[in-house]
Amino acid sequence: MRSGVKILGILVMALLLQSTMIIPCLAEQQPPPKIPVRVKGPTASGDVKLRIYPDGRTKVSGHISTFSKPAEKPAAAIPYHATYQCRYEPISEDGVLMKCHGVMGPEPGALESVPEEFRGRLGELEFSMSYSEKFTRSGPTYNGAFMISLPEAFHANGSFRALDGIGPMESSFMLYADITLWYSKLNTTRANVEQTVKMFPSIKGFMVALIEKLTEGEVRISDLTLKPVKIGDEKAELKFSFESRGDFYEGLAKFIEKLPEFSKEMKPQIEGGVKPEIPPEVAEAFRGIAKYVRELKDVRYEYAVPMSGNFSTSWDGVDMILRINSSTIYKGDLDKQFTEILRIKCKMIEELLKLMSKEVGEEQAEAMEKILDLATNSEYRFSESSFEFSTKMNGLGETVTEMRFQDLWVKPKDLKELFWVIEYVSRVSPQEDLHLTIESGATQDKLTLIRISPEILAAAKPIEETRYSSTWKLFNLPFRRLKIEVSKNPWRVADLNYTEYQAEFKGVKHVVEIASNSTIASIKPLMNGLEIMVSGRAGGLGAMNLTTPKSAVDGMILTMIDNKPLKAKIGASEKRYWIYMIYTHSHKTIKILWERPEIAVNVAERRIRVGEEVEVSGRIMVMGRPLEGVKLEILLDKVAAKSLITGADGSFRTTLKLEEEKTYEINARYRFLDREFYGEPVKVAAYIPFYQKPWFIMMIIIVVVLIAAAIIIWRTRRILSRV
């Protein structure tokens, strides 16, 4: 948390320093000139992205590089490099892990001009320090150890303990060390060491009195001793101890309140033998700073506390590098804690600026006050952010400083004021190589639209523009005219990154639109679709909504992730298909493919009696994979007769009753959105046996009637013949 506060404090101070370089020209009633005079100073380059969300939250990411050189070449400069990185990662619902590491050391070959003896001693130097941190009911406690050694010259090792007391608990700091000194290597003598040991009680008395006076007794030194263990002819062994207790924050506040008085005492006398008076506004400003020190004490652990942590630093004499590592687990609302601490620190800076108002001018002071007011009244979230600072200096004294930051969330009290600050900085310190991107942010339901009016385009033009973003040079930007609107999110993807990709299929170019909360690493066209490489925070939820022209698709649409089927919602508008997918984040390969399905249709018999049922079966496959659980229609003479759902292997089976004597055409149809796919039709003949046909029955009836008639006639004749 301390690193994050310092980083944002640096950003605020950078804005203030930029604003003091020239006379301000951005009053509301008097717009600044179109092209102000460029000031001398460090040049900046890089890219900064501001993604603005419907609720006003803004996610800031990017990197800034500055280059500066001294007015005159330094007589001697040792090239060096330094890097420090911090990352915050949520580890539970109310827990955040802060991990930091850094390195610092001379550039390779930088020490060649240094005397060989000094280089050798620097390589022999041993240094290390570490401590562990734990939160208790009394406050955070720190237990550590340190060691510094230069062979046969100086050696010290010891331990320290500290408590940052909360509530009524006093803070404390204790340090104990064993020290060994070799006279010859340190250009001293045994007598000098003995004299120092004898004088140390006097030094203690002076320090105790001074500290108690400066802090009005709030900080007390209970132990400050340097005792001899063994003082020999070649070396001396000593013990050092220091203990202090009290209310350190209140002591610091009282010390700050007394600074004007102390500065008066340090000034030389003027005519009449009196000291010059301190202006009342100076004393008032220091009282204001002291007030905020007391506020800082009250809120420093109000919303989040450091539950546990560790810190270590060591010097590597072989590689000539100082290494730093630390990690701390915080519990509670760390973002709220961060916001409150930064607010107090901004208030402290505001008090200091009151002392500068006469030097910089009234308008300049108002501009700086407006920047500070924005920083003070904004909300911050950095519990998933990362920062990196690095600096490098060459032998000419030229320095390059890099600052990288990712996923820092800021909610300004008013977006118009944020745009005002951007416009102000772009005019008082324009940097053509520093690019600013304004992006639309989105929730699943709402999307921010950034309206760029013709008046803005008449004054400045973006160097790059897409549907939801625009990139500008930080040079005379009329951003006060930017308008923010909130609309319905048509993509249904929160925190989306929008990409337009031009793909060519069968010699025809098509524009594919992709909205995803993943980072899109690459897009590769395939013969029958697209391959998209995505990445995101491991374990997080990824979402993608892709639309493609209907004319690009030849078949049904399939989605795959890492060569495995991926369920997706697929729909159609008048001219485009859309595909909505959800997946678990990490590095993934997503494929959007289209292929015509293969439908095989079979019948048990090709010839059956009328009135009987014919069994119809088959299978639907696409790209060699069965289509499970899809709806299929069985067609009888091109008319849907039945609908059914395919099984796990893509198979289907049903029966159809054929009521007429004729040859039927049986087929299967699969509907995909507004497209239809068919199998190869199969013909089945339905027949009636000849003995069931009407003409055969009529013939039988006629024969029976004729026989019956013949018998009747024969019998009638026989009877008549007897008569």
Side-chain angles (χ1 to χ4, degrees), residues 321-512:
I321 287 178
L322 179 70
R323 292 187 169 88
I324 302 172
N325 291 281
S326 69
S327 66
T328 306
I329 296 177
Y330 292 94
K331 188 174 182 180
D333 190 343
L334 190 61
D335 297 317
K336 178 68 172 177
Q337 187 71 63
F338 174 85
T339 298
E340 288 301 308
I341 290 178
L342 183 64
R343 179 187 65 80
I344 293 173
K345 292 196 172 184
C346 286
K347 288 291 187 180
M348 292 181 183
I349 298 173
E350 188 175 354
E351 294 294 335
L352 288 174
L353 289 179
K354 291 179 181 179
L355 304 177
M356 301 170 54
S357 58
K358 291 183 179 180
E359 288 75 11
V360 301
E362 184 178 347
E363 291 184 354
Q364 189 87 353
E366 288 179 0
M368 294 189 296
E369 185 179 346
K370 195 168 184 178
I371 294 173
L372 266 177
D373 182 67
L374 177 64
T376 302
N377 294 287
S378 298
E379 297 177 10
Y380 303 89
R381 194 184 89 196
F382 69 105
S383 51
E384 297 181 16
S385 62
S386 62
F387 306 90
E388 178 181 346
F389 285 89
S390 63
T391 184
K392 183 182 291 188
M393 188 184 76
N394 61 22
L396 300 176
E398 298 171 336
T399 304
V400 175
T401 301
E402 295 273 352
M403 179 171 62
R404 297 180 181 273
F405 40 92
Q406 185 174 356
D407 297 341
L408 169 65
W409 292 81
V410 181
K411 187 176 182 181
K413 70 171 186 178
D414 190 339
L415 281 172
K416 291 182 180 179
E417 292 192 13
L418 175 63
F419 295 150
W420 183 93
V421 170
I422 294 172
E423 178 172 336
Y424 180 79
V425 174
S426 75
R427 293 184 185 278
V428 301
S429 182
Q431 303 287 344
E432 294 192 46
D433 294 326
L434 182 57
H435 298 161
L436 176 68
T437 300
I438 306 292
E439 296 180 331
S440 297
T443 63
Q444 193 169 13
D445 301 319
K446 296 180 181 180
L447 174 70
T448 299
L449 298 177
I450 302 169
R451 300 300 187 189
I452 302 173
S453 65
E455 291 80 8
I456 295 177
L457 295 175
K461 295 189 182 299
I463 57 178
E464 185 178 348
E465 190 172 10
T466 68
R467 185 172 178 179
Y468 297 117
S469 69
S470 58
T471 302
W472 310 73
K473 294 180 180 180
L474 195 70
F475 188 90
N476 296 325
L477 297 176
F479 269 20
R480 282 183 296 170
R481 298 188 179 96
L482 280 179
K483 302 294 183 183
I484 300 295
E485 298 178 5
V486 177
S487 70
K488 184 179 179 181
N489 185 357
W491 304 98
R492 301 290 294 167
V493 175
D495 202 20
L496 64 86
N497 300 301
Y498 176 79
T499 304
E500 288 185 0
Y501 179 75
Q502 193 172 75
E504 184 175 321
F505 303 110
K506 297 182 178 180
V508 181
K509 292 184 178 180
H510 302 274
V511 175
V512 177

